[in-house]
Amino acid sequence: MIPGPFDYQVAGSVAEAIALLDRYGADAKVLAGGHSLIPLLRFRLASPAVLVDINRLRDLEYIQEADGVLHLGALTREVELETSDLIRRRYPILADTARVIADPVVRNWATVGGNLAHADPANDHPATMLALGAQLVATGPAGQRLMAIENFFTDSSFETTLQPNELLTEIRIPAPSERSGGAYLKLERKVGDYAIAGVAVYLTLDGNDHVTYAGIGLTNVGPTPIKARAAEQLLLGRPLEEAVIAQAARQAAAEAQPVSDLRGPADYKRAMVETLTIRALRLARSRATGGASR
Amino acid sequence: MSIHHIHVTINGKHYEGDVEARTLLVHWLRDSLRLTGTHIGCDTSSCGACTILVDGKAVKSCTMLAVQADGRELLTVEGLEQNGKLHPLQEGFHVEHALQCGYCTPGMMMAALALLKRNPSPSEQEIREGISGNLCRCTGYVNIVKAIQYAAQKLREPQPEQVPAGSGGGGE
Amino acid sequence: MTTSSAGPHVHGLGEPYKRKEDARFIRGKGNYVDDIQLPGMLYGDIVRSPYAHALIKSIDTSKALQVPGVVAVITGKDLEAAGLAWMPTLSGDSEAVLAVDRVLYQMQEVAFVVAESRYAAADGAAAVEVDYEPLPVVVDPHKALAPDAPLLRPDKKDRQPTNQIYHWETGDRAATDAAFAEAEQNGIVVRQDMYIPRIHPAPIETCGCVADYNTATGKLTVWMTSQAPHAHRTLFAIVSGLPEHRIRIISPDVGGGFGNKVPVYPGYVCAVVAALKTGRPVKWIEDRTENLTSTGFARDYHIHAEIAADKDGTVKALRVYTLADHGAFDAAAQPTKFPAGLFHICTGSYDFKHAHVAVDAVHTNKAPGGIAYRCSFRVTEASYLIERMMDTLAREVGKDPAEIRLQNFIKPEAFPYRSALGWTYDSGNYEGALRLAMEKIGYEELRREQAERRARGELMGIGISSFTEIVGAGPGKHFDIAGIQMFDSCEIRVHPTGKVLARIGVQTQGQGHETTFAQIIAAELGISPDDVDVEHGDTDTAPYGLGTYASRSTPVGGAATAVAARKIRDKARKIAAYLLEVGEEDLEWEPGRFYVRGSPSKGKTIQEIAFAAYTNCPPYLEPGLEAVNYYDPPNLTYPFGSYICVVDIDRGTGEVHIRRFLAVDDCGTVINPMIVEGQIHGGLTQGLAPALYEQLAYDENGNVLGSNFQDYLIPTAVETPRWETARTVTPSPHHPIGAKGVGESPTVGAPQAIANAVVDALAHVGVRHIDIPITPWKVWAILKEKGLATA
């Protein structure tokens, strides 16, 4: 498994990366952690003319909370999310997600931005970011552009609304308000696998345990990452009781579009969305109300 | 196809050479530098046989381009032994019978090294998760876990004397 | 072997002596095939078929030849012109080295590109243009037998007019049928269909070779991933026409084999042809996808099994029909006499009076194989079916699975035991192993816990497997590989200073032969294993042997080694008598030394004797101290064990969690308990793998699914439980040191313990069988059907 020929350019700054992307356009691919791209090259399923390596852009590796927003540099390695005190304490859903991505060695190099920008419906961060209502910063020749995560993915697998000369540079996540919490649960055939199904939920509760914010994202049960909007709507304004949880989980399952493959038949995957949604909602409720974090 | 002249420090030694952009780091190490202790077991960064440390972090060298290593510091299995003294992980793998065919062993030790750097006192479960990116077909992992525990213990409480493992077995 | 308090501590049999081979591996100084780099070496890459069944209309190599660095492209037509387009398989079929006019499975070899580097070879392979005309594909072996099925092997239609490779049966059909008729009337009959899927050994090192032809001397040296270098040398000589003494096969360090490295693959032959053609060394190394999709698979048995028993569950007769999917070429690894290998060990540990087994084997559009993946020629299939069936019988008569086994075991006093299907079991104590396992794991308590959990709605299962293995082939009169009898060999040289070099005909792939064989010699000669170096794998130096697979190293090679060492000791006695001026009969042996009976201080150590053999040899003896033994075993050995597995099932997802797994093994005399335990851990993990994870699946078009490690699911340290082990020791009466072999027992015994545990967890709602791999969705479908699914 040997990659076909390509040229390689290393970007010394974000501006340089943008300039390179602007010059090569659709012939270029951004090389971040490379754990999706390099296997594609090795199987000769992708044959870009040039790789633009952004791994030297240390100024895209950061985890900072400021002004009520968590800022994640797009090049933040998964291991940093997994082990950051701030993330574990304030955003356990992100630690949940990072620690089930591939394996520990891969996570040393794999990046959160790459996990999103590859737009693989089997990747884990898209669901989590959909649940959190993240915003993404795309940087291009004309400067920065902010977009909601749900506007980042298109109706096609492996496709985003990034322009060929734009780089995903930052992910912004609203800081948790009082009585909010989330969880990401992933069912996999074995450790390191892509999900059979994955469910991310994020909730905010009012003083009466009624839901004031609900975000639900689904992994690998459709051609794209899925935001379970109807299930979210169903939760809003309702008390987070078992009957409501069950109803929302059924709705989330209905919004999944799984197909049968080596990870199981479609009906199983749909049922797993229901099971995982129930479990994730219970865990999120527990976290939101100050219960056990796991 | 661009050619790049790279400089890399490996096991404390400086190496340089011309590489094609597409040259995988593992091929450069093995075929050009003849550091053949790092192995190849798959094409999908699944098996971990090619695990090395890059700037102190474990990386699968089959999923990194050689050109990406330019200017970085690498550690491969050949760099574990220092001044004729085995690293506690090498010792542990021998003493606890944590290897059979030996093919996954270098990658497994390098992943374990990275794990112990981050977490000097891992639980059994943490060790198992820590090496979950490295496949072994021979040992069933039980003795690998013990070997890493052995090394963790040794690294926490450095002993002046280390068992010279290797040179002709050792019948303790 | 007892160690005299007076003698040196020799680290002989039964001691956990640390491995000698570790020294190089822990330093990254192993020498695997891909580590070999010769001056001027070229690299080969294979063009493979994307279709499972197609005619090759044309192959255009012109673009490939223009790729910078490409030296040559070899096609099937080129090989045909040289008479090398076909090669014999281990089952006497002919396999295409490179397809000439048709391809029969996806990823079949079509052309071989030779280039100055790996990268150029890959570029060249990508540039070869092949025009295919797709043909109808046969994936389902049942459909391969249909009258209108396309004939997949027109090349041999004269001797095999259909897709059926063979029909084979054994046992007394009439007596078996009569026992079933009787049981239908007055006893009970249980039946079950089961499928043991196609899986792959998937050693972490793939297959590969470096072929080097010296044009000056006419000598061909091939470094290759071989479990059987001598047999491969002979096959190479037959295929290539080169004189056998001008072929040297070197199997260097091998990164796991598990049966995968027993056959000869087209890549090896292509590399040799390319080396002959170019006059330069040629390296060919598979990638993982090539390994999984084109080299020897295992299992793929569709089994129907029936037991006839008395109403109380006492077994009477076993009847088995199997449809075996061998893929496009019959490349199964098995002795000529037994086309289904040792599958007819399927009466297992139980005293069946009658049995009958029939097997039909067919071609399909899948990769060839049928190799013994960490098992002795289809024993895994046999053991799985009988252990599953015993559980089914237990349910039917309302007995505990342990009770039904204890009731039906072959009794210890019945050995040597002749089975209804003709095997003579050497020794065993099956009840002893099961009772130890039950005691160690706390069986009764677990059953109580299970009942309590069940009352609370939790699903917990306990599974037992009380398997019998059959390993250590020969005897040579019954067992062969491609006609060569399955003996094995050892040559020992004792140097003048008493240090020893031993060379053996078996070939390690991680089993630790350099250590355990040194211990055998150490025990026999009373010296330290430090003083014994063991070599293997080089056909120019090692004595002829059949290699390592089917757990035959210790039973056959180990026996040869012990006997060779005893020859050394016999000669040493003669020399000692001469040196001490006494009769041989006046000498006593203690480890490391002969002494005069009654005068313990008057003696000669083995080192003194060795020195004398070269400096002061008795005039009536040949000088020197060397011995060779070629050992043809009188019988196979029959290791056994009882495994107990405890599982918990997640009612929300169908996931199976192995809570505990205890393995009690009996492999006779233990040479090195540390290594034996390591073999058991590894074997159990390769038993876990097919039980819950691994399968090489195909879609209806013959596309391989699961062709890399992202989809071919090898368990990691997280899925693998912390194995628990224990041991009983029942030596083999016919083996020189009583050893039976152990490497494969756990792979043979484990899958059904796990399957039985999962079925046990669901038995109360009527579940009797789930085919492996037991995936979460298979379990969940049952939970849903039975109303047990819940978040």
Side-chain angles (χ1 to χ4, degrees), chain C residues 408-433:
Chain C
N408 285 295
F409 277 147
I410 300 161
K411 303 286 180 271
E413 59 274 17
F415 292 90
Y417 169 86
R418 190 165 169 82
S419 80
L421 292 171
W423 299 111
T424 302
Y425 294 22
D426 59 348
S427 62
N429 180 355
Y430 303 149
E431 179 173 344

Side-chain angles (χ1 to χ4, degrees), chain C residues 372-434:
Chain C
Y373 167 10
R374 203 164 182 158
C375 91
S376 190
F377 312 122
R378 308 288 186 185
V379 181
T380 312
E381 291 89 327
S383 181
Y384 176 85
L385 89 83
I386 189 62
E387 288 304 308
R388 280 268 53 249
M389 288 305 291
M390 292 306 285
D391 264 33
T392 304
L393 177 63
R395 306 292 173 214
E396 191 65 27
V397 298
K399 287 189 173 177
D400 187 279
E403 188 186 351
I404 204 85
R405 284 172 169 79
L406 291 166
Q407 178 184 343
N408 285 295
F409 277 147
I410 300 161
K411 303 286 180 271
E413 59 274 17
F415 292 90
Y417 169 86
R418 190 165 169 82
S419 80
L421 292 171
W423 299 111
T424 302
Y425 294 22
D426 59 348
S427 62
N429 180 355
Y430 303 149
E431 179 173 344
L434 178 54

Side-chain angles (χ1 to χ4, degrees), chain A residues 1-5 43-44 187-191 193-194 196 262-265 267-268 271-272 275-276 278-279 282, chain C residues 118-119 122-123 126 287 289 650 652-653 655 693 697 705-706 708 710-711 713-714 716 718-719 776-777 780 791:
Chain A
M1 286 290 155
I2 306 287
F43 283 94
R44 300 197 177 206
L187 181 65
E188 52 193 1
R189 295 174 299 175
K190 67 166 209 175
V191 161
D193 190 20
Y194 291 112
I196 295 170
L262 287 176
R263 289 183 176 77
D267 70 324
Y268 173 70
M272 290 308 100
T275 292
L276 295 177
I278 290 170
R279 292 178 180 184
R282 286 175 186 161
Chain C
R118 286 176 208 272
Y119 285 65
D123 292 345
D287 63 35
T289 299
D650 184 326
T653 62
E655 288 171 288
Y693 303 105
L705 310 173
N708 58 55
Q710 290 186 336
D711 282 319
L713 304 177
I714 291 181
T716 73
V718 173
E719 287 76 39
W777 50 93
W780 180 83

Side-chain angles (χ1 to χ4, degrees), chain C residues 21 53 91 93 184 204 318 497 568 627 698 701 752 780:
Chain C
E21 39 276 87
H53 194 194
S91 284
D93 195 1
E184 296 278 10
I204 306 297
L318 175 71
T497 54
I568 296 279
Y698 285 74
N701 297 317
Q752 50 272 31
W780 180 83

Side-chain angles (χ1 to χ4, degrees), chain A residues 120-139:
Chain A
D120 184 341
N123 278 355
D124 297 289
H125 276 307
T128 305
M129 297 303 177
L130 285 167
L132 283 164
Q135 298 223 301
L136 306 185
V137 179
T139 305

Side-chain angles (χ1 to χ4, degrees), chain B residues 22 31 34 124 137, chain C residues 19 35 118 123 694 722:
Chain B
R22 62 174 171 164
D31 293 349
R34 303 296 294 138
E124 172 170 352
R137 206 62 164 151
Chain C
R19 294 203 330 164
D35 299 343
R118 286 176 208 272
D123 292 345
E694 293 177 10
R722 192 203 290 131

